[in-house]
Structure formats: C-alpha cells, structure tokens
Amino acid sequence: MSVIYVLLAVSVTVAIVFFIAFILAVKNGQYDDSYTPSIRMLFEDELVKEKSKKIDTNQLKD
Amino acid sequence: MSKETCFHCGLDATTSKINFDDKLFCCNGCKTVYEIFSVNDLTCYYDLQTAPGATPKDIEGKYNFLENSKIIEQLLEFNDGNTQIITLYIPHIHCSSCIWILENLNKLNPSISASIVNFGKKTVRVTFNAETLSLKNLVTLLSSIGYEPFISLDDYSVGKKHIDRSLIYKLGIAGFAFGNVMFLSFPEYFEVGEFWLEQFKPLFRWLMFAFSVPVVFYSSQDYFISAFKGLRSKILNIDVPIALGVSVLFIRSTFEIITDKGSGFFDSLTGLIFFLLLGKFFQQKTYSFLSFERDYKSYFPIGITKITSEDKEESIQVYDIEKGDRLLIRNEELIPVDCILIKGNARIDYSFVTGESKTVSKQSGDKLFAGGKQVNGTIEVDVLKSVEQSYLTQLWSNDVFKKDKSLAFTNITNQISKRFTISILAIAILATTFWLITDASKAMNVFTSVLIIACPCALALAAPFTFGNVLHILGKKKFYLKNASVIEQLAKANTIIFDKTGTITANKETTIDYEGLQLSKEEEALLKSTLRGSNHPLSRSLYNLLNEQDIVTLDAFEEHLGKGIEATYNQNHIKVGSAPFVGYTTESTLLNTAVHVSTNKQYKGKFTFYNAYRKGLSSLFNELKKDYDLVILSGDNEGEKDNLTKLLPTKTKLLFHQKPEDKLEYIRYHQTEGANILMIGDGLNDAGALAQSNVGIAISENVNVFSPACDAILDASKFNQLFNYIKVSKAAIKIIKWSFLLSFMYNCIGLYFAVTGQLLPVVAAILMPLSSISIVVFTTLATNMVGRKLE
C-alpha cells in the first residue's frame, strides 16, 4: 500500500506543473487581452485566399 | 439600394460622383485609401466588414514634433537604435477589419516587422526598423489609411506601464489549493474507517496544511490589510469578521492536526477565500477601452511649433514652452498656453474650456487662453504663461482632484458589518460562557466554531456579484460606470445638476429660425450659392440647414474676414454676415448667434441659431422632478433662458454665466447642506464639478473620444434613459438587502450547529459553499430580471 506515496507524489507534481504553467501564462500577458486573439485566429483563411490569388496571377504571367 | 454609400467609409456618396474600380467613393481621401490597399493586395479589408474605413484627415505638419528625438524617446516602449517598439492608441479601431489591416501593416511597409492589436484597449503595438522608417513616417502612414493615432501629453513620460496582475495570481493559488484540499479531505468526509486510510491520515492532513499556507498568507493578504486599516481608523468593516474567521479557521485547524484531534477545516478555509476572491475579480472587470481619469493632459498635444529668433520653425515639447516664446498654431491645433495673438486671423473654439459652442474671433493683440482650438488657418502667438500656470490647467491644482471619492463613503456592506461583527462576538461569548458552566471541555470548540461558521462569506459576496452584474448590464446599454461604488452613490442622489451646452443640447445639431421679410425664390438660390463658397463655420451650418436650391455660378464673390460675405449674380447683390456689415443698425437685444441678410442694399432679415435639445429632454425632466431637485448650471449666456423655462418643469433652477470654479463651488456648498449631488456634464469645464459631485456622469456623443475625469460615461443616444438607469441602481440596492437576509438565514442554521457544539468539518464544508453559491445565483437572476426591464 506504500505505493500511495508514489501516487501522491506524482499527482501533486502534476498539479504543481500545471499551476506553474498558469502562473507563467499570466506573467507573459496571456490574460491581458482576451478578445483580440479570438478574432485573430480567424484571419488565416483570408491570408491564404489572398496568396492563392497572387499565385494565380503569377502563373498567368508565366 | 436608393442611397449610394461610399465603399470605404459608408458615408453618403450620392453627389460625389467619384468612381474607381467600379466602386463609389464619397471623397478623394477614401478613394486614395482604397488605392493603397488594392495596390498592396489588401482588399480583404472590405470583405471582413462592409465599409469599415475612416476618411483620412489632412495632417500636414501636425506630427512635426515627432522629429524631436527627446519626444520620441519618451514615447517609445523599446529602442535599441534600429528596432523600435511603440504602442499607439487608435480611436478608430472598431471591427475585425481594423484588426486585420493593422496586423498586416508589414505589407504596406516592409520596415514594419510586427504589429499587434489590442482590441479592448484600441491600441496597436508596432515593431519597426527606425533606420528605414521614422516614427513620424509611421504615424503618417497610419493616418493615410484612416487610422490616425491619438498622441497626447498623457502619453508623455508614461514609459513602461506596470500591469497589476496580483489578483489573478491570488485567485489562481486559492483555486489550486481549494481543489487539491477538497480531494485530500474526501476520505475524511465519509469516515471510512479502513485500516490503510487511517495509516495515511497524518500525511493527508499535513498536505492539506501545506496547500493552505500560501492561501492564508498570500491570497487573503488584502483582507488582513484592510481589516487592520479599518480597525486603526475605528471602523468595523466587512473585512474584520472575514480576517477573524480566516485566522480562527487556520489556527484551530492547525491545532487539531497537531494534536491529532481531527482533520481541521482546511477545505472550508481555501474554499472561502477562493469564492471571496472570485467576487472581487468579477467586480473588478471594467471597461479597458474607457478611461475615467482623464485630465487636461489627455487633450493637450505633446509638441508644438516654436518660431526661433532666426525665423525657423522648430518642434518643441509643450513643457519646454517658456514665457516670451513665439509659437505657430496650425489649423485645428489646440493652444496649450495662455498667450497673445500676434499674426493671423484667430477663430477660437473654447468649447473645451467654457462649454460654449460658438467660436470667437480674435484680432492681433488679443489674449488667448489655453485650451482653445484654432479653427481658421495658421496663427502666430507670443507666450504669456507656461503650461502649468495657464488659466485652464490651474483648475487641476484644486484639491478635489487629489481626493479619492470612494474612501469618503461607507458602502452598504460595511454599514451592516458593524452590527454583524458585534452580534457575532456577543453570540460567541455567550455560548462560550454557557459551555464553560455546563461542559468546560467543549467551550473552546464552540467559541471557534461560532467564529468559523459566522465568517460572512455570503454577506461579502452579495454586493460584488450584484454590482458586477449591474455594471455589466448597464455597460451593454451604453452606460459605463467606473466601479461598483458608483451604483450605490447613484441610488442615493437627491439632486441632479445638468450642464447645458453639449449635455442637454446635442452638439452637432442646431436649428435655425428666420425672422424678417420673405425671401424670393431667386434670393434663396442666391443665398445658398453664396454660402457655398464660404468656409466660415456659421456659413457651413447655415448652408447645411437651408433647403436644397439650384446652385448658380456667381458673377462675383468676396469674403470679408470677421464681417461676412457678399456676392453678385445677374445684377442681384447679396450681403450675408454680421448686423453692421449688412447695414442693419437697430441694436440687437438677442444674445443668440444670428446671421443677417440683405439684398440690393435692402435689409431682409436674420437667421437665428438655436441649440437643438436632446430628444426626450422634457419627459426625462418631468420623470425626475418628482424625486429630485433639478438644476441647470450653464457656462453660456442667457440666450436660451425663455426656451428652457418653456421646456422644463417650473421648479428647475436655471443658472447662467457659471465659470468652471463657480460650478465646483455651487456643488460644494449644496453638499455641505446635505445634498447628494449627481452632476451631468460633458466638457473639460465641467471637470471640477464632476470631481466634486457625489456622482459625476460625463455625456459623450462618441464614447471612444475623450471625456473628462468622471465616475461614469453615458452615451448621448441614451440620455433619455437616465431615469431608468437610476431606477436600476436602486433595484440593485434592494437586491443586496434581500441577499443579506438570505445569508443571515444560513448563518442562523450554521450557528445552531456551532452553538450546540456539533460543528463537523463536513457540515462546514457543505454549508459554506452552499450559502455562497446560492447568493451568487440569487443576485445574478435578480439583476438579470431588473436588466430585462430596460429596453
């Protein structure tokens, strides 16, 4: 039953690792602006569309 | 589509006839922006949102001060010679297109390596190469695409702003500990007398102790500090019983595990602090894009053009202006110091300072005051006083700007906590005495149990959650409050004072009234055509207000500065302007602004300008008059007095010619007589009054533009809803009182267990979160119901 020491050590370590990750995230300013990133992630599509257009025109020239 | 709108900015473009790329534009400015974007493959800008843009303004010379390296140094966030980083505030940021275009700035100029938008704060953080792109060129680039940044004296010497994140840390630690302690106490809850679990009990308990230590000594820090401060100034605030409860919980629990008597109350302890901090966090969420602390610095420019003794133009920092300097003030620039006009035609808009919306003409030799805005070409002035000593800026040396309003006021929770704390201590002592007589071994147990169970978690949560939610609801209705204490103050007000210009009148709208001989059709057309050629603000507004006419090409047109305009068409001669200019000699008694007209040397009549009052003004005042004393304090003249008496309830007091200090003094005087004053104003001239009043509300046509320091910002379109908003604040107070009752009920149940000496950790662990959660649910539901009644 002394395995419980190992289990406890593991669970507490995992919890503390996540806790440190949280503190670091706050420190890096991830919680300062919670709105813009939600919009920013939607922009990738537009950029791709635009690039493909560009390639098309280049191909026509070639 | 009946009306054709500009592809770039969405304004009416029916008459412009500017066509480009099959798209219609309202002006060349908008067309140029479109061209820039289409050349750089950035037309996606228009796909994300229809007509997202703004017309770029002419900024010729406006940002010359960005050549001054001393000023640049103060604005930059990071500078290693090549790479520079700056955060610019751009008021126009309003949609996803804005974010997209500003984050793709590097496509417009390769010297920009990164740009990151913070939508909430309306800022963009730009990293650029200073060798190939100067800060001035960066600002010019942003302006040319309609995203002109706003740089004011406020940005100067701010440097690196410190962001306080300690509440998130504290909340994180409390939440982390709460969760872990809960898991570790599970075996104890069910009292499983299993052999192995008994073996590990001490280990589990010491682990719980370890998790609780940072919660008590770090997360709950603020409660101890506040309780200590309160006791020192002999106030029993709500933090006193909280701090008492937390320390008793911790000490008793530690004692229990040391003596191996029980498992302690670590679960309740960490849970309690977690919920309390959650309430604080909820209430603290505010509007990051608004600022409630603005003073004149937010309006004033950083740099100004100085004319050196060798007749050269040089940009200098506003604080470096000395008495006797010669300054150049461009069109639309703000005058930062008191000075004397030397050269040029000054037409000054003092609306910031006095609230008076009409511009004033000044001749050379006249004195100009700081805070005025030049609206008619370039002028040269000689400085009389430095920035800090100028008339307007001196207002800020008044003591009211140094006081913190919220400190002077006992909030509803603290009002009740005094009686609460005393009765809890009384109950604890009584119960302990009883047990000392009957069964002394239980006495200490009962004493601590009472303090633990009575810890006013639910009580302390009622106000933050109610106010937090009301803040949120009102924010959705465009009424932005600075913090929760404003709601309480708002509910308490008994006198409402309004400023006139810009507050009860709409800034942009004026109405005209014509008095005199009827104008013939030709004369009307001639008048309109004449006005079309003039750039004078009065001509512009009269032109916009007159009916549509056929525009004729004039044979002759002449503008006499400061007097008026004259024009000829088909032998018909017209003069428009001041009374003496058109040959009208009768003394005018009216105080309103008027434009006189004469044709062929015959006096025809005059157009008088009136302020247009906001919609619903009359009905709002009639609703308010039952419960409130109403006053209008105006910096303006008495021209509108008759009009106002007709519109408003008879008991409304009207006071005119009120200087900023007069307004402040008026409020201070009535406060000493016991009035709780709600002041509603708009300009910098009301800043003193807004600060002195119990609640100062700034009204704003556009909340993103600047409003003076205040407790709340109200969108002008919601002005007529003011009474309903006050009603909501009163309802919020009622909700809090109900939740107090609810939390007392929980306390009574808990006290029964405590006094009879049978408080088990599991009872505390159930009762405390249950009471907290039900309070949160109750206040949220109740405030939402109140909020739904708002339209």
Side-chain angles (χ1 to χ4, degrees):
Chain A
M1 207 48 187
S2 47
V3 73
I4 207 152
Y5 289 108
V6 182
L7 290 175
L8 264 181
V10 170
S11 77
V12 171
T13 321
V14 169
I16 286 173
V17 165
F18 276 100
F19 180 68
I20 290 170
F22 169 75
I23 296 288
L24 285 178
V26 176
K27 207 165 212 159
N28 291 332
Q30 277 193 28
Y31 288 80
D32 293 351
D33 179 11
S34 50
Y35 183 76
T36 329
S38 70
I39 296 208
R40 189 177 293 133
M41 62 182 271
L42 303 172
F43 288 153
E44 303 304 325
D45 298 332
E46 270 79 16
L47 284 172
V48 172
K49 194 175 96 191
E50 188 201 351
K51 265 178 199 156
S52 63
K53 247 194 239 164
K54 238 181 175 177
I55 293 164
D56 286 343
T57 46
N58 285 342
Q59 279 168 345
L60 283 175
K61 270 176 207 165
D62 291 340
Chain B
M1 218 164 63
S2 59
K3 203 174 168 190
E4 300 198 290
T5 51
C6 175
F7 184 68
H8 175 71
C9 69
L11 289 177
D12 183 23
T14 330
T15 50
S16 67
K17 299 193 175 66
I18 298 172
N19 239 310
F20 180 78
D21 223 4
D22 286 338
K23 278 138 193 137
L24 201 63
F25 296 94
C26 67
C27 59
N28 278 316
C30 289
K31 193 192 100 182
T32 319
V33 182
Y34 176 77
E35 279 181 277
I36 295 174
F37 289 163
S38 59
V39 166
N40 290 291
D41 287 330
L42 290 170
T43 44
C44 249
Y45 180 61
Y46 301 100
D47 300 342
L48 294 166
Q49 185 103 23
T50 12
T55 315
K57 287 204 185 94
D58 183 27
I59 51 146
E60 181 61 38
K62 193 172 165 187
Y63 290 106
N64 279 350
F65 63 85
L66 290 178
E67 284 162 355
N68 183 326
S69 59
K70 229 174 90 194
I71 296 179
I72 293 180
E73 195 53 46
Q74 290 291 337
L75 291 172
L76 290 174
E77 214 168 278
F78 173 83
N79 182 12
D80 76 344
N82 282 334
T83 315
Q84 298 187 336
I85 301 178
I86 188 168
T87 302
L88 293 165
Y89 173 68
I90 301 180
H92 182 64
I93 295 179
H94 73 289
C95 67
S96 45
S97 278
C98 302
I99 302 175
W100 186 78
I101 195 75
L102 288 172
E103 298 203 335
N104 281 303
L105 279 179
N106 57 339
K107 297 226 169 78
L108 289 175
N109 192 321
S111 305
I112 297 168
S113 49
S115 45
I116 297 161
V117 174
N118 183 328
F119 188 82
K121 290 193 176 123
K122 292 180 186 287
T123 55
V124 59
R125 191 162 178 268
V126 187
T127 314
F128 60 101
N129 188 336
E131 266 182 16
T132 44
L133 181 76
S134 72
L135 181 59
K136 188 189 162 192
N137 289 339
L138 172 69
V139 170
T140 318
L141 171 75
L142 284 168
S143 306
S144 73
I145 57 168
Y147 287 96
E148 188 181 341
F150 186 86
I151 304 171
S152 73
L153 201 52
D154 227 11
D155 300 311
Y156 196 74
S157 74
V158 170
K160 279 120 216 132
K161 271 182 204 145
H162 176 72
I163 312 165
D164 186 25
R165 303 190 184 109
S166 64
L167 186 60
I168 304 184
Y169 290 136
K170 285 175 184 162
L171 188 63
I173 289 172
F176 168 74
F178 176 48
N180 282 290
V181 170
M182 269 293 195
F183 275 126
L184 292 170
S185 12
F186 252 77
E188 309 257 3
Y189 288 161
F190 303 112
E191 294 283 348
V192 253
E194 211 255 334
F195 170 74
W196 280 108
L197 277 178
E198 288 296 322
Q199 291 289 300
F200 290 111
K201 249 182 183 170
L203 173 71
F204 275 40
R205 287 175 180 174
W206 283 107
L207 267 175
M208 289 196 272
F209 172 79
F211 279 123
S212 310
V213 169
V215 177
V216 173
F217 290 95
Y218 177 67
S219 294
S220 61
Q221 224 177 26
D222 292 343
Y223 295 102
F224 285 102
I225 293 170
S226 157
F228 176 71
K229 275 186 186 161
L231 285 177
R232 210 174 44 184
S233 49
K234 289 181 183 120
I235 302 165
L236 281 173
N237 58 22
I238 191 73
D239 295 330
V240 175
I242 292 176
L244 200 64
V246 169
S247 28
V248 169
L249 268 170
F250 186 69
I251 293 166
R252 177 171 161 179
S253 307
T254 316
F255 181 75
E256 274 188 11
I257 60 164
I258 289 173
T259 55
D260 204 21
K261 270 170 83 184
S263 61
F265 297 85
F266 291 115
D267 44 355
S268 305
L269 169 68
T270 47
L272 166 82
I273 291 168
F274 177 65
F275 281 115
L276 284 174
L277 289 173
L278 209 60
K280 228 182 200 181
F281 181 71
F282 191 66
Q283 196 182 22
Q284 212 193 31
K285 281 203 135 196
T286 44
Y287 313 100
S288 49
F289 66 99
L290 294 173
S291 171
F292 295 96
E293 313 291 344
R294 295 187 191 282
D295 59 9
Y296 69 93
K297 284 182 188 154
S298 316
Y299 297 80
F300 275 35
I302 291 187
I304 196 89
T305 317
K306 177 182 161 182
I307 299 173
T308 57
S309 45
E310 298 99 45
D311 245 5
K312 276 194 187 129
E313 289 181 16
E314 182 196 2
S315 288
I316 60 161
Q317 217 270 103
V318 166
Y319 286 127
D320 293 339
I321 299 174
E322 281 166 24
K323 197 183 157 190
D325 282 354
R326 174 73 55 94
L327 302 178
L328 184 82
I329 313 278
R330 292 193 176 80
N331 198 8
E332 295 286 312
E333 268 186 356
L334 202 78
I335 301 169
V337 288
D338 292 353
C339 51
I340 281 185
L341 180 64
I342 299 297
K343 215 160 95 186
N345 284 300
R347 178 159 278 278
I348 312 292
D349 173 4
Y350 276 125
S351 53
F352 273 167
V353 195
T354 59
E356 165 76 66
S357 54
K358 308 283 175 326
T359 54
V360 251
S361 288
K362 293 281 179 190
Q363 269 76 47
S364 61
D366 284 350
K367 205 173 163 191
L368 306 178
F369 292 103
K373 196 179 188 181
Q374 161 67 355
V375 289
N376 189 19
T378 309
I379 53 170
E380 281 180 27
V381 294
D382 265 358
V383 177
L384 288 176
K385 280 173 183 163
S386 66
V387 176
E388 284 93 345
Q389 288 167 338
S390 289
Y391 170 75
L392 175 72
T393 43
Q394 266 184 337
L395 181 65
W396 271 268
S397 51
N398 196 308
D399 284 340
V400 286
F401 291 99
K402 295 184 190 88
K403 272 194 298 195
D404 186 355
K405 265 194 229 177
S406 57
L407 290 180
F409 148 87
T410 354
N411 63 38
I412 186 163
T413 316
N414 284 340
Q415 277 167 14
I416 211 154
S417 84
K418 189 181 165 189
R419 268 177 260 161
F420 179 83
T421 315
I422 292 171
S423 40
I424 287 304
L425 285 175
I427 292 172
I429 291 164
L430 276 178
T432 317
T433 346
F434 172 80
W435 282 105
L436 272 176
I437 299 161
T438 46
D439 182 359
S441 65
K442 269 190 170 178
M444 205 53 214
N445 183 0
V446 167
F447 180 71
T448 48
S449 296
V450 170
L451 292 181
I452 288 169
I453 204 72
C455 186
C457 182
L459 199 66
L461 283 176
F465 275 96
T466 312
F467 288 147
N469 209 19
V470 168
L471 224 66
H472 180 72
I473 290 168
L474 290 178
K476 269 195 196 155
K477 305 286 176 194
K478 297 185 176 177
F479 184 37
Y480 308 97
L481 302 172
K482 182 174 159 188
N483 56 39
S485 75
V486 179
I487 301 174
E488 284 191 68
Q489 293 274 27
L490 197 61
K492 272 187 166 175
N494 54 19
T495 306
I496 305 183
I497 298 181
F498 293 86
D499 168 53
K500 189 177 79 71
T501 320
T503 304
I504 59 172
T505 66
N507 259 345
K508 282 163 199 149
E509 292 164 45
T510 42
T511 48
I512 45 162
D513 197 20
Y514 180 71
E515 234 178 287
L517 303 168
Q518 184 71 39
L519 293 176
S520 68
K521 203 91 194 119
E522 293 82 47
E523 283 169 334
E524 276 184 22
L526 178 58
L527 176 65
K528 182 108 178 167
S529 313
T530 311
L531 290 170
R532 192 168 179 251
S534 166
N535 264 328
H536 190 281
L538 285 181
S539 315
R540 299 310 311 162
S541 42
L542 189 56
Y543 177 81
N544 288 329
L545 287 165
L546 288 174
N547 299 329
E548 286 283 327
Q549 300 287 346
D550 296 326
I551 299 300
V552 294
T553 318
L554 302 165
D555 298 334
F557 174 84
E558 198 178 352
E559 188 156 7
H560 301 269
L561 279 171
K563 289 175 185 165
I565 41 180
E566 59 180 318
T568 325
Y569 174 71
N570 280 353
Q571 267 99 49
N572 279 327
H573 184 74
I574 191 168
K575 271 180 151 185
V576 187
S578 64
F581 175 69
V582 297
Y584 182 60
T585 43
T586 322
E587 195 58 48
S588 167
T589 48
L590 253 180
L591 292 155
N592 291 64
T593 319
V595 171
H596 299 260
V597 181
S598 76
T599 50
N600 297 329
K601 301 214 164 104
Q602 190 204 357
Y603 181 71
K604 284 289 183 186
K606 61 172 186 267
F607 291 93
T608 316
F609 287 82
Y610 291 102
N611 289 316
Y613 289 99
R614 289 195 195 281
K615 280 184 202 116
L617 175 71
S618 233
S619 56
L620 174 70
F621 268 67
N622 280 320
E623 280 170 347
L624 290 171
K625 75 174 177 189
K626 283 166 239 152
D627 308 316
Y628 297 95
D629 287 330
L630 301 171
V631 184
I632 287 180
L633 286 182
S634 173
D636 238 339
N637 59 42
E638 288 166 23
E640 291 280 318
K641 194 173 182 176
D642 296 338
N643 225 338
L644 276 172
T645 9
K646 262 183 260 161
L647 262 171
L648 303 178
T650 38
K651 72 164 195 174
T652 312
K653 265 186 241 165
L654 301 172
L655 293 160
F656 295 94
H657 299 295
Q658 299 287 312
K659 287 201 204 82
E661 303 87 68
D662 299 340
K663 292 185 179 183
L664 201 162
E665 281 309 319
Y666 182 89
I667 290 174
R668 184 176 287 163
Y669 174 73
H670 283 265
Q671 278 174 331
T672 55
E673 294 196 330
N676 274 312
I677 290 175
L678 165 61
M679 169 83 202
I680 301 164
D682 72 316
L684 270 189
N685 61 320
D686 299 320
L690 290 172
Q692 176 66 39
S693 60
N694 299 67
V695 187
I697 301 179
I699 204 153
S700 175
E701 304 273 345
N702 177 356
V703 289
N704 301 325
V705 183
F706 304 92
S707 41
C710 57
D711 301 308
I713 298 174
L714 175 63
D715 192 279
S717 62
K718 295 283 179 182
F719 177 71
N720 51 7
Q721 294 293 313
L722 186 68
F723 186 55
N724 293 334
Y725 294 158
I726 296 176
K727 275 202 276 192
V728 169
S729 70
K730 286 190 170 167
I733 301 289
K734 223 174 258 168
I735 292 169
I736 291 174
K737 286 184 177 159
W738 277 105
S739 16
F740 282 171
L741 206 70
L742 203 66
S743 81
F744 281 136
M745 269 165 51
Y746 278 112
N747 263 322
C748 289
I749 299 169
L751 278 173
Y752 165 76
F753 286 105
V755 171
T756 51
Q758 39 182 324
L759 181 71
L760 298 169
V762 67
V763 175
I766 292 171
L767 206 57
M768 286 176 113
L770 188 69
S771 66
S772 305
I773 289 167
S774 55
I775 289 293
V776 171
V777 171
F778 170 72
T779 55
T780 314
L781 287 181
T783 43
N784 280 346
M785 244 163 67
V786 170
R788 209 167 294 154
K789 281 187 201 147
L790 289 173
E791 62 167 81

